[in-house]
Amino acid sequence: MDQFIQIITTTDDEGLAGKIADTLVEKRLAACVQILGPITSVYRWKGKTEKAREWQCLVKTSLDRYDEVEAAIKAIHSYETPEIIALPITAGSREYLGWLRDELAVA
């Protein structure tokens, strides 16, 4: 049975968010990437509280592609330590999950 995940990453550049999305979908590492933003992130970095305007990418993919997606994001990303986290998709409509499966199928 397929195990689908949603990977989340953020960037401070809308164009870079688009590049990440285009790369992942074109390489069939993701069926879909949604870009949300701008959002405001408040976080600690190197001992200081920071605030940044960012764009969030929601990547729909399969668990077996996680390592490739992580490597692709790191190769493109401008951050020293980009957020790259994965959440399991535990349920979804049969039609949507079927579409994910079909789009991630190796051509």
Side-chain angles (χ1 to χ4, degrees):
M1 181 170 179
D2 295 306
Q3 291 182 295
F4 298 112
I5 59 174
Q6 177 171 270
I7 297 173
I8 302 169
T9 191
T10 55
T11 179
D12 63 355
D13 181 272
E14 184 178 12
L16 182 56
K19 184 176 180 181
I20 289 168
D22 290 343
T23 299
L24 296 177
V25 172
E26 287 171 9
K27 290 184 174 186
R28 295 189 85 127
L29 296 176
C32 172
V33 179
Q34 296 162 314
I35 301 170
L36 309 173
I39 61 172
T40 301
S41 294
V42 179
Y43 56 94
R44 293 197 55 80
W45 181 250
K46 298 187 178 181
K48 290 177 40 183
T49 300
E50 301 282 344
K51 187 179 285 190
R53 179 175 149 159
E54 295 185 302
W55 282 261
Q56 185 177 61
C57 298
L58 305 177
V59 181
K60 307 321 185 282
T61 191
S62 58
L63 181 59
D64 64 348
R65 285 188 169 82
Y66 175 83
D67 291 337
E68 291 176 273
V69 172
E70 179 182 330
I73 291 171
K74 286 180 175 179
I76 299 167
H77 215 291
S78 61
Y79 287 178
E80 180 181 338
T81 306
E83 171 189 16
I84 305 172
I85 60 173
L87 305 171
I89 297 174
T90 59
S93 74
R94 182 173 29 101
E95 297 84 4
Y96 186 78
L97 296 179
W99 172 78
L100 277 178
R101 183 177 303 103
D102 291 346
E103 290 305 313
L104 294 169
V106 177

